[in-house]
Amino acid sequence: MTRANTDSARTRAADAAATPALTCTNLSKRFDDRLVVDDVGFDVAAGETYGLLGPNGAGKTTTISMICALLKRNSGSVVVNGYDLDQQPAKAKATLGYVPQDLAIYPDLSGAENLGFFGRLQGLRGRNLQRRVEEVLETVGLSDRARDRAEEYSGGMKRRLNIGIGLLHEPRLLILDEPTVGVDPQSRDSILSSVGELGASGIGVLYTTHYMEEAERLCDRVGIIDRGRLVAEGTRRELVDLVGEHDWIRLSVDGRPDRVVSRLQDLPQVVTITADDHDISLEVTDGHHVLPAVIEAAATDGDRVIGVELVEPDLESVFLHLTGRALRD
Ligand SMILES: Nc1ncnc2c1ncn2[C@@H]1O[C@H](COP(=O)(O)OP(=O)(O)OP(=O)(O)O)[C@@H](O)[C@H]1O
Ligand SMILES: [Mg+2]
């Protein structure tokens, strides 16, 4: 390859990476006279995992149904991997994979046969189809059960097969609607691992959930949706900072707590400090970064730190702060 070709290949790769996997703006949906999605807009970068976090009835499924062109929208625009959903619908849909909230698999076919069937529907044939079926089985961790009928699968395995179907045509944006609802904790963990690996492989992922632990574990950024409105978005840290929540550091010390407290209260990141005998609690900004300095200041002059705990506020408290209600009913 000549140098110029290398450069243009690099430019193309950079362009592909720079094109967002999804841009949606001003999405609204009305059922009769009820506005259930109200002016929602967000982007998912290439390679980013974006979580739409909100309680039952918030408008998550309605929003993604509009993005997947399964539901007409009352307003707004959707661009998938650079293709406008209205102007280039076939191209937009070809680069998008959708995993519905409800299972869509044939119970009397094996895992491999299900994938083969749906792959053919998507236009895959011959060796290419076979290669994709094997790759997808590997990705969702079902290679060793590929020949078993889907009705013999556990709930979590059925869900993973459902995800696999959405992956067959190698989408650059994968949309998953609450894929862990109703599965046992072990299956849930393996679904989350599969989705985490997909995110790490470089495709854009849009993931809806009402479990804040899942959003925290999987998502680079989270949009909080409530009553049809996107009320805030950002990284966990940005959301926590947005609502002004602080972190807490709890120390157990061996020595003179009064001396430790007086040294710690000079640190600029310390907001409040209280001591109960040898247990000291500090309210701090950005606990992760200040922790080494706290330990260093505490453990001098013969005073020792014998226990440390860092407590960071979670998205549950962000949701509560923004909406005045708990995420779960
Ligand atoms: N076809 C429909 N006709 C009328 N109302 C609808 C329809 N589909 C959804 N809704 C209403 O729109 C609102 C949002 O529903 P949606 O299914 O998008 O919520 P969700 O966030 O996906 O909730 P869940 O976590 O329970 O799946 C709800 O009040 C729901 O009752
Ligand atoms: Mg839903």
Side-chain angles (χ1 to χ4, degrees):
M1 192 186 275
T2 66
R3 193 179 152 67
N5 278 344
T6 312
D7 283 349
S8 70
R10 267 200 211 115
T11 310
R12 274 199 306 276
D15 282 351
T19 304
L22 173 68
T23 305
C24 53
T25 40
N26 307 115
L27 293 180
S28 295
K29 180 68 192 176
R30 218 174 254 291
F31 286 118
D32 300 323
D33 57 353
R34 221 155 58 83
L35 190 58
V36 301
V37 174
D38 182 5
D39 200 23
V40 165
F42 58 92
D43 294 347
V44 180
E48 181 179 44
T49 298
Y50 187 98
L52 211 49
L53 175 70
N56 292 138
K60 303 181 294 297
T61 299
T62 307
T63 299
I64 61 177
S65 300
M66 291 189 281
I67 293 168
C68 297
L70 298 169
L71 192 64
K72 272 180 90 134
R73 53 193 189 274
N74 292 110
S75 74
S77 66
V78 177
V79 180
V80 182
N81 293 303
Y83 301 114
D84 186 287
L85 192 57
D86 294 335
Q87 283 155 27
Q88 295 175 289
K91 283 188 168 159
K93 286 187 230 167
T95 63
L96 172 156
Y98 168 58
V99 181
Q101 194 162 359
D102 299 320
L103 289 173
I105 58 177
Y106 288 101
D108 49 350
L109 297 183
S110 72
E113 286 165 346
N114 264 287
L115 292 171
F117 174 78
F118 285 102
R120 274 188 293 279
L121 280 187
Q122 291 165 5
L124 295 169
R125 294 286 182 276
R127 290 171 83 95
N128 203 19
L129 174 62
Q130 182 144 8
R131 175 183 63 85
R132 279 309 290 155
V133 168
E134 277 160 26
E135 284 172 358
V136 165
L137 284 165
E138 191 65 32
T139 304
V140 297
L142 288 174
S143 300
D144 56 340
R145 299 291 303 270
R147 312 284 153 221
D148 296 342
R149 282 147 64 103
E151 67 189 351
E152 293 163 15
Y153 286 2
S154 70
M157 290 165 73
K158 287 178 187 153
R159 291 238 157 238
R160 282 188 275 145
L161 181 58
N162 211 36
I163 294 174
I165 291 166
L167 285 172
L168 279 164
H169 62 301
E170 299 183 77
R172 283 188 278 139
L173 171 68
L174 183 68
I175 301 181
L176 298 126
D177 196 4
E178 306 211 49
T180 64
V181 164
V183 304
D184 61 274
Q186 195 190 348
S187 303
R188 186 176 176 192
D189 197 62
S190 89
I191 291 169
L192 293 180
S193 299
S194 298
V195 176
E197 280 164 27
L198 288 169
S201 77
I203 69 170
V205 177
L206 173 57
Y207 188 96
T208 80
T209 182
H210 61 271
Y211 296 120
M212 66 96 193
E213 306 89 338
E214 293 189 358
E216 291 201 347
R217 171 167 162 187
L218 286 178
C219 301
D220 301 309
R221 282 190 310 137
V222 173
I224 294 182
I225 186 167
D226 183 47
R227 295 176 177 173
R229 294 193 64 93
L230 197 70
V231 289
E233 70 166 5
T235 62
R236 191 196 66 85
R237 183 78 251 168
E238 285 165 353
L239 289 168
V240 164
D241 289 347
L242 178 76
V243 299
E245 291 270 345
H246 289 139
D247 301 338
W248 290 85
I249 296 174
R250 306 220 164 87
L251 298 178
S252 297
V253 296
D254 184 22
R256 293 252 317 267
D258 55 325
R259 280 195 314 214
V260 176
V261 167
S262 83
R263 285 197 299 272
L264 287 174
Q265 61 197 9
D266 292 339
L267 292 174
Q269 296 92 338
V270 173
V271 182
T272 63
I273 182 163
T274 54
D276 178 12
D277 195 18
H278 284 70
D279 295 325
I280 298 173
S281 286
L282 302 108
E283 184 184 358
V284 296
T285 54
D286 203 354
H288 211 72
H289 278 101
V290 76
L291 187 61
V294 165
I295 294 173
E296 196 185 321
T300 46
D301 284 349
D303 298 320
R304 290 195 312 131
V305 174
I306 55 174
V308 183
E309 189 190 6
L310 170 63
V311 183
E312 297 178 304
D314 54 27
L315 292 176
E316 179 79 49
S317 53
V318 171
F319 188 85
L320 186 67
H321 201 111
L322 289 169
T323 67
R325 283 171 298 109
L327 195 48
R328 304 233 184 113
D329 311 325

